[in-house]
Amino acid sequence: DGVLQEAVYDDKMVAQWVDRINDGCMKALIELNLPFKYAVTAMIMQNNGAGVNTAVSSHWDSANDQMARVEWPEKKKSGQADPRMFCVVTAFGVAF
């Protein structure tokens, strides 16, 4: 929310936003001080009616390794998402 809250979609800013989002997520994960190696991805897409499909496959220890996915913005009570852009952030934590 902090990076995109007031933003209007701008192709020239997407790389900077993605870097800030990934860096912020990585910093927060590292501060948890857990025995994981982390990977974070972020995707920002302008909401212009185009479709997008994503998938993740992994081969890991499901008892110890973790993955979390967050979509922004959260759908409002009316079921409508923010019309400007979408962001999907995925974080992986692999135990070592």
Side-chain angles (χ1 to χ4, degrees), residues 8-51:
V8 175
Y9 186 84
D10 180 350
D11 283 337
K12 296 175 187 138
M13 293 299 298
V14 171
Q16 180 181 340
W17 293 334
V18 167
D19 286 345
R20 287 178 55 200
I21 291 166
N22 284 346
D23 290 347
C25 290
M26 189 63 74
K27 181 179 177 185
L29 290 167
I30 291 169
E31 287 176 356
L32 294 174
N33 200 29
L34 297 172
F36 289 97
K37 294 180 182 180
Y38 297 105
V40 177
T41 67
M43 175 188 70
I44 295 175
M45 181 176 169
Q46 183 177 18
N47 184 5
N48 61 4

Side-chain angles (χ1 to χ4, degrees), residues 1-10 17 20 72-73 82 84-85:
D1 255 359
V3 175
L4 300 177
Q5 183 73 28
E6 301 296 324
V8 175
Y9 186 84
D10 180 350
W17 293 334
R20 287 178 55 200
W72 181 92
D82 188 289
R84 299 168 291 158
M85 64 185 120

